[in-house]
Amino acid sequence: MGEARGAAARAGVAAGLVLGAGACYCVYRLARSRRAGAAAGTEGAASARDGSAPGGGLLPRVSGLSVLSSLAWGGPSNLHSDTDLPKSPSNLDAHHLQKLIHLLEHTDDPLIQEQALVTLSNSAAFSVNQDIIRNLDGLSVIGKMLSNSIPKVKEKALNTLNNLSMNVKNQEEIKVYILQVCKEIELSPLNSDLQLAELRLLTNMSVTNDYHHMMTNAIPCFLHLLSEGNERTQIQVLKVLVNLSANPAMTRHLFSAQAPSLLSLFDNCINKEILLRALMFAANLNENMKNEEGIITQDQYSEDSVFSLLCGHSTQYTKKLMWSGRIGVSMHQNRKNGSGFLCIHFMFASVIRMCHCHGPGELPTMGGSSPNLCTPV
C-alpha cells in the first residue's frame, strides 16, 4: 500500500514537471516570436529603402518578369522575345543564381524543381544573366532536367533553355540536347505545351545554319505535325521548317521528305499566319534549287515528296497557289507597313514559277524578282 502511494506521488511530481516545462517553453516561444517580428519589421523597412526583397527571398525579385516563349529570326544578333520585358533592376545577382542552380541540382522535389526553373527562366530575360548562368555551369544542370519524368518539369526546363539560347555562346553548349529534343517531339502528346516548348527551342537553335544537320532526321516528324497538329503547332513547326529551308545544304533533305498533306496549307480556309510561312518555305526552296549545282529532276523523288508536290506537274497545286497569291496580295495591300507581309507578292511570283519550272507553258504571274531567302517573323 505504501509503495503504491509512493509511486503515485512520484508520477504526480513527474507530471507537474512536464506541465511546468511546457508552460515555460510556450512563454519562451511567445517572447521569441515577438522579438523576431520586431526584427523582421526593421529588416523589411531597411530592405524597402535599399530596394532589395525582404528576407532576401528570390521569388519577389523576379515576380514582375514574364517567362519567355521566344521566337527569333534573321540571325543571332536579332534574336528577340515575343514579349516586352520591363526594364527592372530587380534581376537576380550571381550568388542568387548560384543558389538556385545548386538547389535545382540537389532536390528531387518536382514542385521545387519547377519553381526553380521558372525563376531561372525569368532571370534569363536579362542578357547578363544568360552569361552568368553559363559560367556557373547552369546549362548542364538545366539540361539534365530534360530527362525528368515529370512533363511539367521538362516543359519548364525547355522554356529556360529557350531563353538561354538567345545567346550564341549558350547555343554552343545547348546544341548537345538537340538530338534528344528532336526525339522527344515525336513522343510528346500532340499539341501539348511540352511539344510546343520543344519546337520553340528548335526554332531558336535553327536561326543559324550551324546545327541544321542535327535536325535532318526530324524533318519527317515536322511534316507529320503539319498535317496532324492544330494551328499553334503548325505555325511553330513552319517556323523551324522556314529556318531549315533558308539553308541550301538542307534543300535535298527537305525535297525528299514525304508530305502528302502539304497542299492543305494552301486551302481557302487556312490561317493567314500559316499561309505566309508556307509560302516562305516554298520560296526558299525555289531559291535554293535555282542555285543548286547539277540538275534536280522529278525522277529522283517519290510521288508524295515535297519536291513532287511543289515542282511536279500538279494542277491542284497550281490552283491553290493562284488562290494563295490573291490572298497574299490582299494581305500585302492591307498591311503595307507590317514586317513579314511586304515580301508576300514576290514570294508568290517565285513559287508560281517554281510550280511550272519543269513543265511546258507559262502561268501569268505578278512580276517582280525572286525573293531573298526568308526567315520567320
Side-chain angles (χ1 to χ4, degrees):
M1 191 70 165
E3 292 180 0
R5 289 178 180 175
R10 287 193 297 273
V13 172
L17 289 174
V18 171
L19 291 173
C24 291
Y25 179 71
C26 290
V27 172
Y28 165 75
R29 287 298 302 270
L30 179 61
R32 180 181 175 86
S33 63
R34 287 177 177 174
R35 289 196 300 271
T42 304
E43 182 181 353
S47 298
R49 286 193 299 271
D50 62 20
S52 62
L58 298 177
L59 297 181
R61 295 173 67 89
V62 291
S63 59
L65 303 181
S66 302
V67 177
L68 301 180
S69 56
S70 66
L71 309 172
W73 69 294
S77 62
N78 292 324
L79 289 170
H80 65 280
S81 161
D82 280 344
T83 53
D84 293 325
L85 294 169
K87 296 186 181 300
S88 170
S90 61
N91 53 313
L92 301 183
D93 298 327
H95 69 281
H96 292 127
L97 293 171
Q98 187 173 28
K99 289 178 180 178
L100 272 174
I101 293 169
H102 180 81
L103 175 64
L104 183 62
E105 186 175 18
H106 292 92
T107 184
D108 293 325
D109 187 330
L111 293 178
I112 295 177
Q113 290 171 338
E114 188 176 340
Q115 191 60 67
L117 286 167
V118 168
T119 308
L120 285 169
S121 180
N122 289 342
S123 69
F126 298 90
S127 57
V128 63
N129 289 339
Q130 296 168 7
D131 293 325
I132 293 173
I133 291 173
R134 181 185 68 252
N135 293 332
L136 292 172
D137 199 29
L139 294 177
S140 63
V141 175
I142 297 167
K144 290 178 182 177
M145 295 293 105
L146 297 182
S147 300
N148 196 290
S149 60
I150 308 298
K152 278 295 182 182
V153 174
K154 291 172 66 173
E155 178 194 338
K156 297 303 185 294
L158 286 161
N159 287 339
T160 306
L161 289 177
N162 184 44
N163 290 351
L164 291 166
S165 70
M166 297 188 293
N167 179 301
V168 176
K169 290 185 178 179
N170 285 351
Q171 286 196 0
E172 295 173 0
E173 295 190 25
I174 295 174
K175 68 181 180 182
V176 300
Y177 305 111
I178 290 179
L179 293 178
Q180 179 182 351
V181 172
C182 286
K183 292 178 181 178
E184 291 291 336
I185 287 176
E186 191 169 2
L187 300 175
S188 298
L190 182 64
N191 302 325
S192 63
D193 290 337
L194 175 60
Q195 190 175 68
L196 287 171
E198 291 161 343
L199 288 168
R200 283 194 294 266
L201 178 59
L202 292 186
T203 302
N204 267 4
M205 294 301 295
S206 62
V207 168
T208 68
N209 297 348
D210 296 340
Y211 314 116
H212 285 181
H213 64 283
M214 303 178 72
M215 305 180 196
T216 301
N217 292 336
I219 291 175
C221 176
F222 296 152
L223 294 171
H224 173 74
L225 292 178
L226 276 184
S227 62
E228 299 297 328
N230 60 19
E231 289 186 351
R232 285 200 311 163
T233 299
Q234 287 177 321
I235 290 173
Q236 201 62 57
V237 169
L238 279 168
K239 289 180 179 182
V240 178
L241 287 174
V242 170
N243 279 350
L244 297 180
S245 68
N247 180 3
M250 297 296 293
T251 302
R252 290 183 181 269
H253 297 294
L254 292 166
F255 270 154
S256 62
Q258 303 296 298
S261 301
L262 185 62
L263 294 182
S264 65
L265 300 182
F266 301 92
D267 195 77
N268 58 4
C269 60
I270 199 69
N271 182 306
K272 303 307 181 293
E273 295 295 323
I274 295 175
L275 173 61
L276 170 65
R277 289 174 173 83
L279 287 172
M280 285 181 178
F281 176 67
N284 283 351
L285 291 176
N286 179 45
E287 187 73 13
N288 292 339
M289 185 175 61
K290 291 192 305 182
N291 299 326
E292 180 81 14
E293 293 183 3
I295 299 175
I296 299 179
T297 63
Q298 188 168 353
D299 295 337
Q300 297 174 266
Y301 302 98
S302 65
E303 183 179 353
D304 288 333
S305 67
V306 172
F307 178 86
S308 296
L309 292 173
L310 296 182
C311 296
H313 310 296
S314 173
T315 304
Q316 183 183 9
Y317 182 53
T318 302
K319 291 179 179 178
K320 286 180 177 290
L321 279 179
M322 293 298 294
W323 175 88
S324 299
R326 289 194 294 271
I327 297 297
V329 172
S330 176
M331 293 164 65
H332 168 70
Q333 292 173 344
N334 292 335
R335 299 183 61 176
K336 289 184 178 179
N337 296 325
S339 62
F341 289 88
L342 294 178
C343 66
I344 193 77
H345 169 95
F346 302 106
M347 282 193 297
F348 170 69
S350 178
V351 174
I352 284 290
R353 285 195 297 272
M354 175 180 171
C355 181
H356 279 255
C357 58
H358 297 291
E362 295 182 358
L363 285 176
T365 65
M366 293 173 289
S369 57
S370 299
N372 293 324
L373 295 182
C374 301
T375 46
V377 289

